[in-house]
Amino acid sequence: MIKRNLKHTFSLLNVDYVRLNCKWNYRNVISPYYRIYYIDDGEGEISDATSSLKLEPGYLYIIPSFTLCNLECGDYLGQFFVQFFEDSIDGSSLFANNRAVLKTKATEMDVNLFNRLLQINPGRGINRSDNPQVYEKDIYYKEYQELNNQQNTSTYLETQGILMMLTAKFLNPQLFKSPEHKLIPVKIAETLNYILVNLHLDLSVHLLASRANQNVDYFSRQFKQYTGTRPLNYINEKRVERAQYLMATSRMSYSEICTQTGFDNLSYFSKTFKKLTGMSPSEYRKQMYQVGFNH
């Protein structure tokens, strides 16, 4: 019998039902968490630089984390929504290779799931404003995480199950083509966990190989075989992802972000950031300011 463990878990941020109007009109929104919408009335639009999706009744939509998009309502829009963070044991994301807005037909069960999620998580709406410049702040993330910590085991597990079921709708092979993943050896999986927890430290390949009790060359080959990239490339990717998160949710200076993410200096940080994102840190942060993330 093959044992398969779940790699991904979700952390609830907000869930609510709202009636939106033409004031729901925000450009260049990019969030460090997922959004799933179910539309039951009216219409709106989600768009990016190359395409757009009409928000219409009877459909579910997902906006994966770090997916740049525009949100718009022409007149009115009835919307169930849930926002949640994703965690994984190896730092990977379910939508890492497809950061795009997806749409699928909703079922009666999906509507029931949203209603149940609201029932077991009362008071978890944004409760401030539908404008990201108001609610996208680190202090509010911590506030909602504390609410998660207060959930009893039954509510926590049921919430996890519902979020997984809603997310699974968009991982259907007919809608989303995900690359096959090889079973990662324990030593490589443990190394990935170590990297994520210790991004602020000096992480050399020699150090990681030594922790795994392996020869450096053998360790590097194994790492690339099961992750698709070399150890230092993986470390830089995760450091830049962490930097993006910090820029989206805090007011840290670039020097503070360098310290938190383990870059030796600002020059190397900027060079690596632009290489992986196509934007300099200042260009990326300016994008954040356009929707008021750091206000």
Side-chain angles (χ1 to χ4, degrees), residues 170-272:
F170 301 94
L171 295 171
N172 186 306
Q174 295 179 344
L175 183 67
F176 178 84
K177 295 190 181 300
S178 177
E180 293 185 4
H181 294 283
K182 301 175 183 177
L183 184 63
I184 300 178
V186 172
K187 287 188 176 182
I188 299 299
E190 197 279 331
T191 297
L192 298 178
N193 289 337
Y194 180 81
I195 290 171
L196 293 178
V197 174
N198 295 285
L199 287 174
H200 59 291
L201 300 180
D202 181 15
L203 298 173
S204 67
V205 179
H206 185 274
L207 169 68
L208 298 177
S210 177
R211 291 189 74 261
N213 295 315
Q214 292 180 345
N215 171 274
V216 172
D217 290 337
Y218 177 77
F219 170 79
S220 296
R221 290 196 300 271
Q222 285 273 295
F223 194 98
K224 184 175 182 181
Q225 178 182 349
Y226 290 101
T227 68
T229 188
R230 296 183 182 279
L232 289 182
N233 290 341
Y234 181 87
I235 292 168
N236 282 337
E237 288 172 5
K238 295 308 168 185
R239 282 175 168 163
V240 168
E241 285 181 10
R242 181 71 56 82
Q244 287 178 286
Y245 173 83
L246 292 174
M247 278 190 273
T249 63
S250 76
R251 300 179 65 179
M252 285 186 181
S253 67
Y254 295 132
S255 294
E256 290 173 318
I257 290 173
C258 276
T259 300
Q260 289 285 325
T261 55
F263 285 102
D264 291 335
N265 54 68
L266 282 172
S267 176
Y268 183 53
F269 166 62
S270 298
K271 181 180 178 180
T272 306

Side-chain angles (χ1 to χ4, degrees), residues 7 21 32 86 174 210:
K7 288 173 34 179
N21 55 36
E86 175 190 29
Q174 295 179 344
S210 177

Side-chain angles (χ1 to χ4, degrees), residues 254 273-274 278-288:
Y254 295 132
F273 192 97
K274 186 166 186 177
M279 292 182 282
S280 67
S282 60
E283 289 171 333
Y284 187 84
R285 177 158 268 175
K286 182 179 179 181
Q287 185 172 273
M288 298 298 98

Side-chain angles (χ1 to χ4, degrees), residues 14 125-131 134-135 139-140 143-144:
N14 306 109
I126 293 172
N127 301 328
R128 293 176 178 87
S129 164
D130 56 39
N131 188 341
V134 175
Y135 66 79
I139 185 173
Y140 298 143
E143 173 185 316
Y144 288 115

Side-chain angles (χ1 to χ4, degrees), residues 120-170:
I120 63 176
N121 292 282
R124 295 299 295 266
I126 293 172
N127 301 328
R128 293 176 178 87
S129 164
D130 56 39
N131 188 341
Q133 71 179 9
V134 175
Y135 66 79
E136 301 242 353
K137 297 181 180 179
D138 191 43
I139 185 173
Y140 298 143
Y141 296 150
K142 292 178 180 176
E143 173 185 316
Y144 288 115
Q145 186 56 55
E146 181 57 32
L147 291 176
N148 290 338
N149 294 337
Q150 295 172 10
Q151 287 179 327
N152 61 46
T153 302
S154 175
T155 300
Y156 169 76
L157 290 176
E158 188 172 0
T159 297
Q160 282 287 309
I162 292 174
L163 293 177
M164 288 179 180
M165 290 177 72
L166 290 172
T167 303
K169 293 277 294 190
F170 301 94

Side-chain angles (χ1 to χ4, degrees), residues 73-88:
C73 173
D75 187 9
Y76 69 94
L77 186 67
Q79 179 194 92
F80 287 86
F81 74 88
V82 60
Q83 301 177 157
F84 55 95
F85 286 103
E86 175 190 29
D87 295 303
S88 66

